[in-house]
Amino acid sequence: MTDPKPRPLRRREIQVITLNARGLRAQQIADDLGISERTVRSYVLDASRTLGITGSVLPALVEYAYAHGLITVDRRRAPVALPPSLAATLDCAARGLGHRGVAAELGITPMSARSYRSRLLKALDAISTAHAVAIAWEMGLRPPPDRMEDALPITSAEVSAIQEALLTRLYAGRDAVPELHLILRGPDGVRLTLVAVEDMLWKTTVIAGVVSRLAAVMAQKRRNPDGSHPAVPQPGALIGVALRHDVQEPDCDDRAPRSRQALRRFMAVDLNGGLYLAGSALPGMPGDEAPAPQLIYRRQGDPRRDEISTGALDACAALLHTLTPVPVGGTL
């Protein structure tokens, strides 16, 4: 486990942690730094003792280094949508839990925990668990929404404002092209800001893939000197992302089982991990009265979140963390 209070680390210790984050083994680090493998392990041990980290220390040291700006996120990768089991495994690893700790945390066997770890490394194309944690930071998958240290909590009034903004924008315009919005907290309250997206990104019906691709595009943009993303307008603090799109779903009318009706949906995720889903059938003709929309909100920790947790929402969460400010620390 990690003591959340930052403590000073020696330059050599930071170098060793950084090289572990790049996927190097102890012998490779020793060769790179011109020291012995035993000295490398000594630096790891000293750093973990300084920070009060126990258990599987290397992934936790990498997590600490990124979280406190000792390693700058400057090589962003295209994010991937991890299934809940692997996302939970990643979070456990970043907290310094080994196979037995992961098993106890997730209520599975140690053998299953090892299987999850192997699948996690494969999904992230990582060499080690420490390397997986580093890749997750570069993809914008770390830290998870409920662990953003610099995020102000989303208040109940802001949740209501987000819901109202989603419902207001739900029927704005009849263009079927999906819309991506940033949810911003500004001096005048919460607002939605439309993000301009090239049409080529929407030439697929797999919305999760579209958002993941967009996150990859956004990840390639050079950040501002303060670590903020250029796609986020100022003034305003980014607190969420929202995606509006139209879908065709089978009509429930038994007399016409093959007919399909047009639905418009708005899905969103906020910085605290809250999930929103708004939607309703579209009016049939211009001038028709739009049916009453429905909106569902599930906060972090609500067991009913799985009811609306879809691949597209996971992709929106990855995009949100691609756009959030990154620590501005010194690179080695």
Side-chain angles (χ1 to χ4, degrees), residues 214-295:
L214 178 61
V217 172
M218 292 296 182
Q220 299 304 315
K221 296 184 179 295
R222 184 182 297 275
R223 290 185 171 270
N224 298 322
D226 63 355
S228 63
H229 197 282
V232 180
Q234 300 294 333
L238 177 68
I239 61 173
V241 295
L243 173 68
R244 192 192 78 173
H245 69 290
D246 295 351
V247 296
Q248 297 287 330
E249 290 196 352
D251 200 317
C252 298
D253 191 346
D254 293 337
R255 296 169 297 179
R258 295 185 180 179
S259 66
R260 302 177 73 84
Q261 65 177 136
L263 302 178
R264 175 160 290 180
R265 288 180 173 170
F266 226 142
M267 56 184 63
V269 58
D270 67 35
L271 199 57
N272 285 356
L275 303 180
Y276 307 76
L277 183 64
S280 181
L282 290 171
M285 297 292 292
D288 288 354
E289 183 178 352
Q294 295 181 344
L295 188 143

Side-chain angles (χ1 to χ4, degrees), residues 81-330:
L82 294 176
S85 59
L86 299 191
T89 301
L90 174 64
D91 186 57
C92 289
R95 290 156 48 201
L97 300 182
H99 293 315
R100 293 188 181 277
V102 173
E105 181 87 1
L106 303 184
I108 58 178
T109 66
M111 182 176 295
S112 295
R114 290 188 179 89
S115 175
Y116 283 7
R117 176 186 179 276
S118 297
R119 289 168 52 197
L120 175 65
L121 298 188
K122 183 177 181 180
L124 298 181
D125 193 23
I127 296 172
S128 65
T129 310
H131 190 211
V133 171
I135 291 174
W137 274 89
E138 293 176 356
M139 286 183 172
L141 302 179
R142 298 292 304 167
D146 59 331
R147 289 179 180 271
M148 292 295 292
E149 295 180 2
D150 57 349
L152 296 177
I154 308 299
T155 66
S156 58
E158 287 176 328
V159 168
S160 298
I162 292 172
Q163 292 173 329
E164 181 179 356
L166 294 178
L167 294 179
T168 300
R169 187 64 191 170
L170 189 64
Y171 293 118
R174 301 184 60 83
D175 193 346
V177 176
E179 293 182 354
L180 181 73
H181 293 260
L182 303 181
I183 305 173
L184 298 175
R185 170 193 287 148
D188 300 325
V190 173
R191 70 182 191 276
L192 298 184
T193 299
L194 183 65
V195 177
V197 180
E198 295 83 353
D199 290 341
M200 60 172 289
L201 291 173
W202 300 119
K203 292 182 179 178
T204 173
T205 58
V206 183
I207 297 298
V210 170
V211 180
S212 294
R213 185 176 177 187
L214 178 61
V217 172
M218 292 296 182
Q220 299 304 315
K221 296 184 179 295
R222 184 182 297 275
R223 290 185 171 270
N224 298 322
D226 63 355
S228 63
H229 197 282
V232 180
Q234 300 294 333
L238 177 68
I239 61 173
V241 295
L243 173 68
R244 192 192 78 173
H245 69 290
D246 295 351
V247 296
Q248 297 287 330
E249 290 196 352
D251 200 317
C252 298
D253 191 346
D254 293 337
R255 296 169 297 179
R258 295 185 180 179
S259 66
R260 302 177 73 84
Q261 65 177 136
L263 302 178
R264 175 160 290 180
R265 288 180 173 170
F266 226 142
M267 56 184 63
V269 58
D270 67 35
L271 199 57
N272 285 356
L275 303 180
Y276 307 76
L277 183 64
S280 181
L282 290 171
M285 297 292 292
D288 288 354
E289 183 178 352
Q294 295 181 344
L295 188 143
I296 299 173
Y297 169 70
R298 298 286 186 262
R299 67 177 68 251
Q300 182 78 25
D302 190 325
R304 297 171 296 173
R305 279 165 52 91
D306 290 341
E307 297 173 7
I308 61 172
S309 182
T310 65
L313 279 170
D314 291 339
C316 282
L319 174 61
L320 172 60
H321 290 291
T322 298
L323 297 175
T324 51
V326 298
V328 181

